[in-house]
């Protein structure tokens, strides 16, 4: 049985390494097919209603307990790495120093109940905030990836000075203060909990871990202690990063065990077994276990009832907490805003993979419920390429429908609006036309104005909201032309029959 630990570590590495590199990759060289590993995460599979993956994960949990937490979940493996590294900074007993701790059932089942309740009422707030896969994605894309980009750009500058053009610099993502604060806060929280007490986050806060803990209570295989062979040396307890082994009582809390198999390798007497739960003579369920199950059920139910009694649906859904007048622009393929906000977990994968760097995590543009979900933010020469479909291809939750290039070219994510009073053609009486020159659909075109000048005009039916016009407009701080997002993405007309007003422009006015 000792080999199970090494098999589990190899499997965890095969999942963790590609996912980590895929989020960090800022060159776009890794194949997009790696995103299939992300579809195997519990929350993306659930939100996309991927029946095949859900059945696989369900069967995996019913057979082997919380193996998902120690092999497939990237945040779980990240915690293992932190816990493993932490022991090298301890002067005493460098092996392992964990000990049994009582379960925090009130906290864990309350958070699970509230997460389910919020989602039922149409809000993904707690899903976005607590989902382990999404937390890991945000940590890597907003903390680790920028560090690698900074190192790449520094090395590039150094090599270019010496005439070596092997590595090129890439632009850094804009820092969204609120999203960064939340990401750093969870990075510190999860890391600190793992450093001190191993899988504490998984067994107190994580709703996925709590849900799988309920399934692991009836899994076919489990870790158990053979009382006749156990000497109560507590070696297994010290090695258990879930702190779920009580060596004195010779019991294992199945709901917190993540099936890491570390305890199997340290028991020299063969007292710790990984075996079929229902083998041999069936024993009646102790009264204490029955009462424990009742308490868990009552705690979860009580949390749901309490939340129902104190919260209004409109507060839970976040539909009335918008603070900005300008409508945010959803990524192409988002379709309906309500559905997008419900399905997106804010993992930031599309943000990290966007080659144009036009996607950014939202602050409060979508309201409280949409914090850290992606939105388009146009800046100087940063816009959405009409031929790029990467964000819709890598989305693991189907919050973004996968688009073909042809579909992307006519997907209207927003509509450009022209503010004549800000345009340099009107204010300075100068030829410009930059917005029309950069419009790929001819939605923005020039029409006669006065004194031989031409001024922009927008044909809404042709506009796809790519932001080419806004990104090139020289007027600052507020552009004379800007894009406002569609709550429901439409299909724009093709510019086949559109006629562009032609006039040679010598100068763009800037």
């Amino acid at each position: 049985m000792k080999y199970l630990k090494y098999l589990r570590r190899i499997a965890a590495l095969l999942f963790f390494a590609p996912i980590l590199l895929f989020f960090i990759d800022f060159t776009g060289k890794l194949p997009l097919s790696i995103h299939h590993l992300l579809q195997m995460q519990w929350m993306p599979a659930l939100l996309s209603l991927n029946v095949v993956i859900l059945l696989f994960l369900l069967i995996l949990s019913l057979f082997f307990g919380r193996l998902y937490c120690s092999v497939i979940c990237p945040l779980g493996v990240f915690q293992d790495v932190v816990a493993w590294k932490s022991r090298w900074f301890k002067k005493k007993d460098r092996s392992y120093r964990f000990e049994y701790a009582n379960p925090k059932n009130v906290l864990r089942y309350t958070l699970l109940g509230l997460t389910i309740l919020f989602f039922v009422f149409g809000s993904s707030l707690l899903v976005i905030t607590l989902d382990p896969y999404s937390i890991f994605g945000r940590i890597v894309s907003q903390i680790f990836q920028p560090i690698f980009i900074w190192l790449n750009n520094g090395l590039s500058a150094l090599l270019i000075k010496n005439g070596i053009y092997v590595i090129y610099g890439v632009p850094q993502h804009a820092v969204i203060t609120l999203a960064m604060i939340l990401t750093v806060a969870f990075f510190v929280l999860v890391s600190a909990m793992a450093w001190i007490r191993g899988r504490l986050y998984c067994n107190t806060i994580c709703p996925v871990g709590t849900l799988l803990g309920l399934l692991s209570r009836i899994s076919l295989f489990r870790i158990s202690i053979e009382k006749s062979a156990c000497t109560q040396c507590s070696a297994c307890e010290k090695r258990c990063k879930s702190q779920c082994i009580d060596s004195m009582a010779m019991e294992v809390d199945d709901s917190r065990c993540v099936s890491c198999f570390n305890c199997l390798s340290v028991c020299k007497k063969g007292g710790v077994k990984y075996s079929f739960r229902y083998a041999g003579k069936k024993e009646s369920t102790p009264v204490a276990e029955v009462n424990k199950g009742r308490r868990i059920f009552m705690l979860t139910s009580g949390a749901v009832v309490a939340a129902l009694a104190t919260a209004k649906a409109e507060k839970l859904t976040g539909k009335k907490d918008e603070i900005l007048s300008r409508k945010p622009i959803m990524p192409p393929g988002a379709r309906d805003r309500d559905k997008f906000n419900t399905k997106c977990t804010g993992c930031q994968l599309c943000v990290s993979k966007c080659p144009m760097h036009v996607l950014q995590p939202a602050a409060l543009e979508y309201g409280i419920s949409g914090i850290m979900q992606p939105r388009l933010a146009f800046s100087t020469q940063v816009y959405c390429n009409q031929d790029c479909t990467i964000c819709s291809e890598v989305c693991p939750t189907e919050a973004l429908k996968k688009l073909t290039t042809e579909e992307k070219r006519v997907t209207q994510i927003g509509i450009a609006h022209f503010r004549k009073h800000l345009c340099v053609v009107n204010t300075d009486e100068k030829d410009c036309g930059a917005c029309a020159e950069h419009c790929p659909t001819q939605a923005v075109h020039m029409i006669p104005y006065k004194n031989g000048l031409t001024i922009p005009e927008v044909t809404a039916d042709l506009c796809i909201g790519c932001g080419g016009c806004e990104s090139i407009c020289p007027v600052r701080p507020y552009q004379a032309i800007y894009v406002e997002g569609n709550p429901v993405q439409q299909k724009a007309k093709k510019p086949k029959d559109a006629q562009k007003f032609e006039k040679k422009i010598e100068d763009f006015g800037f």
Side-chain angles (χ1 to χ4, degrees):
M1 288 293 182
K2 294 182 180 181
Y3 66 87
L4 289 177
K5 177 183 73 173
Y6 301 105
L7 288 178
R8 192 268 307 169
R9 287 182 176 178
I10 293 172
L13 183 62
L14 291 176
F15 273 94
F16 182 75
I19 292 175
L20 175 65
L21 294 175
F22 194 55
F23 271 99
I24 290 178
D25 178 36
F26 52 85
T27 62
K29 293 182 178 180
L30 290 180
L32 293 181
S33 57
I34 294 177
H35 85 277
H36 291 303
L37 291 177
L38 308 180
Q39 294 176 325
M40 296 185 68
Q41 305 301 316
W42 254 106
M43 200 57 69
L46 184 63
L47 293 176
S48 63
L49 294 179
N50 192 324
V51 178
V52 175
I53 298 297
L54 286 175
L55 283 176
F56 168 76
L57 294 176
L58 183 62
I59 292 172
L60 182 71
S61 300
L62 290 176
F63 268 78
F64 306 109
R66 290 176 60 180
L67 194 62
Y68 167 87
C69 298
S70 58
V71 173
I72 301 177
C73 177
L75 189 68
V77 179
F78 170 75
Q79 291 174 81
D80 290 345
V81 173
V82 174
W84 171 61
K85 284 295 183 182
S86 69
R87 67 190 178 99
W88 297 106
F89 291 85
K90 302 293 181 181
K91 295 181 180 180
K92 297 181 180 180
D93 187 15
R94 278 192 172 184
S95 57
Y96 285 87
R97 71 272 173 237
F98 298 118
E99 60 181 18
Y100 176 77
N102 292 321
K104 304 297 187 291
N105 286 336
V106 173
L107 176 60
R108 61 199 296 219
Y109 291 110
T110 296
L111 287 176
L112 174 61
L114 289 175
T115 302
I116 295 173
L117 177 68
F118 270 55
F119 188 77
V120 168
F121 272 87
S123 173
S124 296
L125 177 61
L126 290 183
V127 172
I128 292 173
T129 307
L130 304 179
D131 172 45
Y133 154 71
S134 301
I135 291 174
F136 178 80
R138 291 192 291 269
I139 288 173
V140 177
S141 63
Q142 294 197 49
I143 298 178
F144 293 169
Q145 190 192 58
I147 292 175
F148 277 88
I149 292 177
W150 178 75
L151 292 174
N152 173 84
N153 292 348
L155 181 59
S156 173
L158 181 63
L159 293 176
I160 289 175
K161 285 183 179 179
N162 292 276
I164 302 174
Y165 299 89
V166 179
I167 301 176
Y168 295 92
V170 296
Q172 281 277 17
H173 291 294
V175 175
I176 307 301
T177 305
L178 180 58
M180 179 60 74
I181 290 174
L182 291 174
T183 300
V184 172
F186 268 87
F187 172 66
V188 173
L189 174 67
V190 173
S191 299
M193 295 176 85
W195 187 276
I196 299 171
R197 292 184 57 181
R199 287 298 191 100
L200 183 60
Y201 178 85
C202 297
N203 289 323
T204 54
I205 298 177
C206 178
V208 176
T210 303
L211 180 63
L212 295 182
L214 294 175
L215 295 177
S216 66
R217 289 179 178 273
I218 58 173
S219 62
L220 296 183
F221 293 89
R222 65 165 181 167
I223 298 289
S224 61
I225 297 177
E226 189 71 31
K227 295 184 179 181
S228 61
C230 180
T231 61
Q232 295 183 319
C233 67
S234 75
C236 57
E237 180 178 332
K238 291 180 180 179
R239 194 70 181 266
C240 179
K241 57 196 173 190
S242 295
Q243 298 182 287
C244 66
I245 297 179
D246 187 347
S247 59
M248 294 297 102
M250 291 185 284
E251 293 179 350
V252 179
D253 184 353
D254 296 332
S255 70
R256 291 186 290 158
C257 176
V258 296
S259 300
C260 68
F261 308 128
N262 288 344
C263 55
L264 297 177
S265 63
V266 296
C267 184
K268 299 179 180 180
K269 301 296 182 180
V272 182
K273 303 284 186 180
Y274 185 64
S275 57
F276 189 63
R277 180 188 297 270
Y278 304 104
K281 184 179 179 180
K282 294 183 179 180
E283 298 179 358
S284 59
T285 304
V287 175
E289 288 296 319
V290 175
N291 290 336
K292 187 176 182 180
R294 288 176 178 172
R295 287 197 299 272
I296 292 172
F297 174 77
M298 292 180 67
L299 285 170
T300 306
S301 302
V304 174
V305 172
L308 280 171
T310 58
K312 295 182 179 179
E314 63 188 35
K315 290 184 179 180
L316 294 179
T317 59
K319 292 180 180 178
K320 293 195 176 182
D321 53 20
E322 298 176 40
I323 63 169
L324 300 178
S325 57
R326 183 172 175 179
K327 296 175 183 177
I329 308 169
M330 300 180 293
R335 295 160 292 180
D336 180 85
R337 174 174 164 177
D338 288 340
K339 292 180 180 178
F340 168 71
N341 291 153
T342 300
K343 281 196 169 187
C344 178
T345 63
C347 70
Q348 309 294 302
L349 179 60
C350 58
V351 175
S352 66
K353 304 306 291 184
C354 178
M356 300 299 292
H357 303 287
V358 70
L359 288 177
Q360 293 181 3
L364 294 172
E365 288 83 0
Y366 293 120
I368 293 177
S369 297
I371 290 176
M372 294 179 287
Q373 291 182 336
R375 68 179 182 90
L376 275 72
F378 307 121
S379 57
T380 304
Q381 296 185 354
V382 175
Y383 59 95
C384 184
N385 189 325
Q386 66 168 345
D387 293 327
C388 176
T389 60
I390 289 178
C391 59
S392 70
E393 291 181 48
V394 300
C395 179
T397 66
E398 293 188 5
L400 303 180
K401 176 188 174 184
K402 188 174 180 178
L403 300 174
T404 64
T405 303
E406 290 301 318
E407 289 174 330
K408 170 68 182 299
R409 289 174 178 172
V410 293
T411 298
Q412 189 184 74
I413 60 177
I415 298 175
H417 297 268
F418 178 57
R419 295 185 279 202
K420 181 179 177 181
H421 65 284
L422 295 178
C423 182
V424 294
V425 177
N426 178 56
T427 58
D428 300 341
E429 295 191 359
K430 290 183 178 180
D431 261 330
C432 184
C435 53
E437 290 291 325
H438 285 78
C439 178
T441 67
Q442 302 179 25
V444 182
H445 51 274
M446 306 302 289
I447 61 173
Y449 183 49
K450 63 180 180 180
N451 300 328
L453 297 173
T454 58
I455 199 164
E457 181 183 70
V458 178
T459 302
D461 291 344
L462 297 177
C463 182
I464 60 174
C466 67
C469 55
E470 180 177 339
S471 68
I472 200 65
C473 180
V475 181
R476 293 293 184 273
Y478 302 106
Q479 290 92 328
I481 192 166
Y482 70 99
V483 179
E484 193 161 288
N486 285 344
V488 178
Q489 294 180 352
Q490 310 289 335
K491 184 176 181 180
K493 293 181 179 180
K494 294 183 179 181
K496 290 181 180 180
D497 302 324
Q499 293 183 354
K500 198 172 185 179
F501 180 84
E502 295 185 0
K503 175 180 171 64
K504 187 176 179 180
I505 299 173
E506 303 293 340
D507 185 17
F508 281 145
F510 58 91

